[in-house]
Amino acid sequence: MFRKLVIGSLAAVIIAAGVAWYLRTDIVLFLASATGRVDVAPTRTINWQKPDPWSAAQGRQQPPNIIFILADDLGINDISTFGGGMADGALQTPNIDRLAADGANFTQAYSGTASCAPSRAMIMTGRYPTRTGFEFTPTPDGMGRVVSMVSADMDSGLPEVRVNNARAETAPAYEDQGLPTSEVTIAEVLQDAGYHTVHIGKWHLGRGEGFNPNDQGFDESLLMASGLFLPEDDPNVINAKLDFDPIDKFLWARMQFANSFNGGEWFEPGGYLTDYWTDEAVKVIRANKENPFFLYLAHWAVHTPLQATREDYEAVGNIEPHRARVYAAMMRALDRSVGDIMNALEEEGIADNTIIVFSSDNGGAGYIGLPDVNAPYRGWKITFFEGGIKVPMFMSWPGNIMPGTKIDTPVAHIDLMPTLASAAGAPLPDGVEIDGIDLLPLATRAVETVPREAIFWQSAFYRVVRHGDWKLQVTEQPNKTWLFNLSDDPTEQTNLSEANPQKVAELRALLDAHTASARPPLYPHTIEAPVAIDKTRAERVSSDDEIIFWPN
């Protein structure tokens, strides 16, 4: 009898172990969904401050209002400004196109890096990670391990995600991986110049004490607390889940529908996230129409998880596959947001004294499985090929920047901080080395060129420099060098590194000089994720495909 019990128990254990192994991905995602959940209160009304009107007694003319609209993971081909648009141009973006036409279109604009947070840090500070140490994108605790485990169960043809568990165990908590308070942000510069400063949306520069928007120069902040655009089961939402993407699986498991205001408790947004933030931004404009304000509207669109309203989904028409139609509907909402902001300024009679800047934190992501988001450029978010870092950058300022201005000079996110400070007549912070340059002389056609030798990008062992028309990429994982002449080869098809070793050596010397006195990263990278340069995550990779490993 005892023997039968033992045998039966062993059999049960073996069966349970087998079931657990078979369902291991579901179990990992279930555990992720049960971790870090926060109680979310019902939606509430935001009572935005209404500062006193600007007075001539303040000693100078009222400076221009500044609105900076930042999209997330927007592909250069997602907008119709450059002749593209979703679904071979079936979806146009008339409001974004109008903004581009109303002022300066920087046709060779680059993000600070190929992922979210460091680009945002460079926008805020005008400084490279070699100075700030803010080199990697903070991710929720445990995300690297979960993504690695889920990815291992997918037949993608990619190598395994490498996770350094020892580093992950000692890394600061997600909330405390932030931009140091010693850094001076554009919000602080403008605040000191008499601006009322407001942040709405994504932040991603730390949430702990000293890191959150209110501690970094913003008088008010409506913060994205999690990552759903609407509850997954909302009757007005259309979802598109990406079974081929481990990041998407993690987001659906972990994310909630939540905002917070000025560091308070989490509460439900008052509608679809893109529309809700836009409505609140319009309220900020109306509350501040008599005083100078800086509004940083940092949209989550078109980042995953892919969620659209039913109305937008129906409006974009029959686009295939389903995920492309949802993505197009998200783009429609983002374009509508830009239009609503411009219309509000005109209605309040302050459009002529308002600068609007529009950009994206990096290029479109390959892991959404849509091959044309960055067309015609190679690469994606989390690669330094043009598709990962080439972004729209539009700047309108009626009466100062002529409509239809096109600027082909290479510029980057680090240039926005000194540019906006200059427009406001605000001095740059004393004793702080700013890497960016003021773009207003270019935008107003006061000059044709700018005094810059090169633009740099880096993520640990993956480093890039653009010098004139030459672009060098070097990485240790795998050990690879790419050299391109972008004037002849803007889509990076022909690697000239072997044919031109002298140019490689020249550009490597620039890279080495750039990093020679760099401060170390604030926290080390804990994962190295494989990315196929020319295939989306929905396509199986073969041994002939070029890949890089992205450290984060």
Side-chain angles (χ1 to χ4, degrees), residues 471-484:
K471 179 180 174 184
L472 178 73
Q473 301 192 54
V474 294
T475 181
E476 298 172 9
Q477 302 291 339
N479 188 9
K480 180 86 176 184
T481 300
W482 294 272
L483 177 69
F484 302 105

Side-chain angles (χ1 to χ4, degrees), residues 14-39:
I14 292 169
I15 292 171
V19 171
W21 176 254
Y22 180 74
L23 299 175
R24 60 194 179 278
T25 296
D26 294 324
I27 293 170
V28 166
L29 292 171
F30 173 78
L31 294 173
S33 70
T35 303
R37 306 296 286 184
V38 175
D39 291 335

Side-chain angles (χ1 to χ4, degrees), residues 375-416:
Y377 303 104
R378 297 180 70 193
W380 321 98
K381 171 187 179 179
I382 57 177
T383 80
F384 285 135
F385 281 78
E386 294 286 279
I389 54 176
K390 197 171 180 67
V391 293
M393 190 187 292
F394 311 135
M395 183 182 301
S396 73
W397 189 7
N400 292 273
I401 301 175
M402 290 293 294
T405 299
K406 289 192 175 181
I407 298 166
D408 297 329
T409 303
V411 299
H413 277 162
I414 54 169
D415 300 325
L416 289 174

Side-chain angles (χ1 to χ4, degrees), residues 70 72-73 115-122 124 134 136-140 143 174-179 199 201-208 211-213 216 221 223-226 251 296 298-300 303 361-362 367 381 523 552:
L70 187 65
D72 199 320
D73 291 1
S115 67
C116 308
S119 279
R120 294 163 193 270
M122 284 181 255
M124 287 290 109
F134 197 87
F136 306 116
T137 292
T139 55
M143 180 176 175
Y174 172 63
E175 291 78 5
D176 295 325
Q177 295 182 29
L179 182 70
H199 158 261
K202 185 173 177 177
W203 179 240
H204 217 166
L205 298 178
R207 297 185 187 180
F211 300 133
N212 64 70
Q216 295 279 24
S221 171
L223 176 72
M224 181 180 87
S226 193
L251 293 177
Y296 173 32
H299 275 299
W300 182 223
H303 198 292
D361 61 346
N362 45 248
Y367 52 70
K381 171 187 179 179
Y523 42 88
N552 192 65

Side-chain angles (χ1 to χ4, degrees), residues 130 453-458 461-467 471-475 481-482 504-518:
T130 48
E453 184 178 26
I455 301 174
F456 299 93
W457 298 266
Q458 71 180 61
F461 50 74
Y462 187 12
R463 301 184 299 154
V464 179
V465 60
R466 174 167 177 171
H467 179 255
K471 179 180 174 184
L472 178 73
Q473 301 192 54
V474 294
T475 181
T481 300
W482 294 272
V504 169
E506 175 189 334
L507 298 186
R508 270 189 177 272
L510 289 177
L511 278 176
D512 292 342
H514 177 70
T515 57
S517 58

Side-chain angles (χ1 to χ4, degrees), residues 85-304:
M86 278 295 301
D88 295 325
L91 179 75
Q92 297 289 291
T93 50
N95 295 298
I96 295 173
D97 295 352
R98 176 161 66 100
L99 175 61
D102 281 353
N105 178 351
F106 294 89
T107 62
Q108 294 199 66
Y110 288 103
S111 60
T113 188
S115 67
C116 308
S119 279
R120 294 163 193 270
M122 284 181 255
I123 288 168
M124 287 290 109
T125 65
R127 285 156 58 86
Y128 284 119
T130 48
R131 297 193 194 277
T132 66
F134 197 87
E135 189 167 334
F136 306 116
T137 292
T139 55
D141 298 333
M143 180 176 175
R145 288 180 212 147
V146 172
V147 167
S148 174
M149 294 173 71
V150 173
S151 180
D153 279 348
M154 294 180 170
D155 184 24
S156 66
L158 286 167
E160 289 187 1
V161 177
R162 303 164 180 167
V163 180
N164 189 316
N165 289 313
R167 287 182 182 173
E169 291 291 343
T170 58
Y174 172 63
E175 291 78 5
D176 295 325
Q177 295 182 29
L179 182 70
T181 52
S182 58
E183 296 294 332
V184 182
T185 69
I186 182 60
E188 291 172 298
V189 169
L190 296 177
Q191 196 176 52
D192 289 344
Y195 279 72
H196 186 69
T197 55
V198 180
H199 158 261
I200 295 177
K202 185 173 177 177
W203 179 240
H204 217 166
L205 298 178
R207 297 185 187 180
E209 185 176 352
F211 300 133
N212 64 70
N214 297 109
D215 291 335
Q216 295 279 24
F218 286 97
D219 296 307
E220 301 179 277
S221 171
L222 178 58
L223 176 72
M224 181 180 87
S226 193
L228 292 183
F229 290 86
L230 276 174
E232 184 180 346
D233 58 355
D234 189 287
N236 192 41
V237 74
I238 303 293
N239 304 312
K241 296 187 177 183
L242 310 177
D243 290 339
F244 48 80
D245 177 33
I247 295 174
D248 190 68
K249 287 179 174 290
F250 176 86
L251 293 177
W252 283 108
R254 179 69 70 87
M255 295 295 103
Q256 296 176 257
F257 182 54
N259 277 183
S260 67
F261 183 66
N262 289 345
E265 68 175 347
W266 289 20
F267 62 91
E268 286 199 352
Y272 181 69
L273 209 55
T274 306
D275 293 333
Y276 169 66
W277 286 346
T278 303
D279 291 344
E280 294 302 317
V282 169
K283 293 176 185 176
V284 168
I285 291 169
R286 300 197 194 288
N288 286 270
K289 63 183 179 181
E290 296 181 334
N291 62 276
F293 64 88
F294 170 47
L295 171 60
Y296 173 32
L297 176 56
H299 275 299
W300 182 223
V302 285
H303 198 292
T304 51

